[in-house]
């Protein structure tokens, strides 16, 4: 198969779909790899490393899309890339279609076989989401702490405090990979941390492995309301795979919070879990609503592209090899790849995406 890796062009995105090492594995498996000139530079991978691995360097994204059977990316195509997609192509990337009706319609119109990293399941895990969730969770605490700084519009409190000063309170909504990562970072800085989730089994496990300054609560409207009243930093990491994130904090609830506190919405790719959230960029990461600082960067791991690209390749490579080496009629009999499939032959094949946009869902049989 001919696999194309275009340069990522979403604002402030410096990751690339595959490392040179990953490209070498694809080529050793008998595939041809086309990569756009300078696609890996933002992650510290020069063109020479890809050509040494056996990839063909092409000058433009148009050349990549025109020549490839499968497009391997990091982020979902943006509007300027829609016309480059070729009917019948395979697209393997993060898609987050529940928050993007326009892209969903384009993928259907072009009969793209769209496989999303974030909906590929392995048992109860989402293995292609996990590495980016881990990075985003740590970043949520670190950048939340930075934006508590007075010069960034925050309350002026140092996360973790100091000797003789009361510790800050960090609330983490969601106890998955991102939530645990955020809570670990906050606990390590010395904050008082409260995690909320509806999965009691997960909360029980985390109670036994987390630091003693981390407590667990079952998530209800009342426990959220009571927790945010004295919170300095709130990190939202809730995820319903493939679907829009539920709005756990409404605009009215902001009035309950302390002025200068910070909301970090890690769920923003799926529409955000705060009613007042809207996507921001690394260049302009925050905005203020009613005295509450919102940090809602839609590609948080893009801040650290070297680490993120290597971690992502480690997770996606084996699946990319399988997709490239297996006829679709065989591949789509495997529940793992059916779970990743979001559009196929002109239809929406992920029920949560169809519900989000009021579109017709069609199962692949």
């Amino acid at each position: 198969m001919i696999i194309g890796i275009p340069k990522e062009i979403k604002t402030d995105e410096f990751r690339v779909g595959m490392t040179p090492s990953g490209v070498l594995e694809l080529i050793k498996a008998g595939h041809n790899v086309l990569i756009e000139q300078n696609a890996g530079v933002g992650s510290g991978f020069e063109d020479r490393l890809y050509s040494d691995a056996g990839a063909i360097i092409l000058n433009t994204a148009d050349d990549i899309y025109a020549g490839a059977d499968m497009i391997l990316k990091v982020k979902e195509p943006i509007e300027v890339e829609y016309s480059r997609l070729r009917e019948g192509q395979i697209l393997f990337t993060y898609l987050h279609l529940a928050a993007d009706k326009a892209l969903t319609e384009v993928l259907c119109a072009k009969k793209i076989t769209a496989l999303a990293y974030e909906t590929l399941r392995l048992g109860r895990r989402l293995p292609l989401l996990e590495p980016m969730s881990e990075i985003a969770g740590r970043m949520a605490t670190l950048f939340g702490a930075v934006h508590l700084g007075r010069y960034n519009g925050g309350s002026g409190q140092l996360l973790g405090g100091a000797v003789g000063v009361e510790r800050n309170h960090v609330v983490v909504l969601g106890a998955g990979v991102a939530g645990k990562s955020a809570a670990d970072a906050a606990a390590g800085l010395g904050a008082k941390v409260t995690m909320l989730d509806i999965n009691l089994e997960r909360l029980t496990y985390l109670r036994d492995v987390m630091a003693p300054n981390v407590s667990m609560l079952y998530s209800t409207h009342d426990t959220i309301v009571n927790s945010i009243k004295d919170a300095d930093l709130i990190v939202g990491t809730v995820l319903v795979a493939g679907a829009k994130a539920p709005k756990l904090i409404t605009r009215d609830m902001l009035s309950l919070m302390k002025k200068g506190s910070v909301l970090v919405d890690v769920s923003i790719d799926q529409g955000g879990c705060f009613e007042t959230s809207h996507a921001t960029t690394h260049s302009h990461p925050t905005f203020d609503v009613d005295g509450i600082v919102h940090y809602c960067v839609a590609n948080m791991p893009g801040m650290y592209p070297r680490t993120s690209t290597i971690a992502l390749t480690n997770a996606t490579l084996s699946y990319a090899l399988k997709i490239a080496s297996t006829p679709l009629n065989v591949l789509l009999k495997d529940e793992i790849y059916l779970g990743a499939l979001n559009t196929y032959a002109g239809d929406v094949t992920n029920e949560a995406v169809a519900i989000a946009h009021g579109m017709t869902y069609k199962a692949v049989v």
Side-chain angles (χ1 to χ4, degrees), residues 64 72 91 332:
I64 298 294
L72 191 63
L91 176 63
L332 297 181

Side-chain angles (χ1 to χ4, degrees), residues 54-187:
I56 298 170
I57 312 295
L58 297 181
N59 291 332
T60 69
D62 288 337
D63 294 334
I64 298 294
Y65 282 88
D69 305 307
M70 178 169 108
I71 298 296
L72 191 63
K73 290 183 88 278
V74 179
K75 293 300 291 178
E76 70 283 351
I78 61 175
E79 188 173 356
V80 70
E81 297 173 289
Y82 292 173
S83 62
R84 295 172 180 156
L85 289 164
R86 190 158 45 79
E87 185 164 324
Q89 272 179 330
I90 297 171
L91 176 63
F92 191 37
T93 187
Y94 289 116
L95 284 170
H96 303 291
L97 291 184
D100 195 340
K101 186 174 183 179
L103 177 58
T104 305
E105 291 174 339
V106 168
L107 296 177
C108 288
K110 296 207 170 190
K111 298 183 179 179
I112 302 296
T113 300
L115 298 139
Y117 294 161
E118 75 275 6
T119 63
L120 188 148
R121 287 187 177 275
L122 188 62
R124 298 173 68 177
R125 293 175 52 219
L126 298 169
L128 306 190
L129 194 60
E130 287 174 3
M132 298 303 99
S133 294
E134 180 182 9
I135 292 168
R138 289 180 186 168
M139 288 182 64
T141 294
L142 295 176
F143 283 85
V146 166
H147 286 91
L148 276 171
R150 188 66 181 169
Y151 64 93
N152 279 328
S155 62
Q157 297 186 82
L158 176 65
L159 195 66
V163 175
V165 181
E166 186 177 6
R167 291 190 294 179
N168 305 101
H169 184 198
V170 176
V171 172
V172 180
L173 303 175
V177 173
K180 180 181 182 299
S181 186
D184 276 335

Side-chain angles (χ1 to χ4, degrees), residues 33 134 138 187 236 258 308:
V33 177
E134 180 182 9
R138 289 180 186 168
K258 297 189 294 186
S308 298

Side-chain angles (χ1 to χ4, degrees), residues 259-278:
K259 300 300 182 184
S261 55
V262 176
L263 291 174
V264 179
D265 199 337
V266 180
S267 305
I268 192 63
D269 276 329
Q270 294 293 139
C273 61
F274 310 135
E275 185 181 21
T276 45
S277 291
H278 63 75

Side-chain angles (χ1 to χ4, degrees), residues 183-205:
D184 276 335
L189 289 171
K192 169 189 171 185
V193 184
T194 303
M195 299 186 73
L196 294 93
D197 202 285
I198 59 173
N199 185 334
L200 284 174
E201 182 180 357
R202 176 70 172 173
L203 292 177
T204 300
Y205 164 73

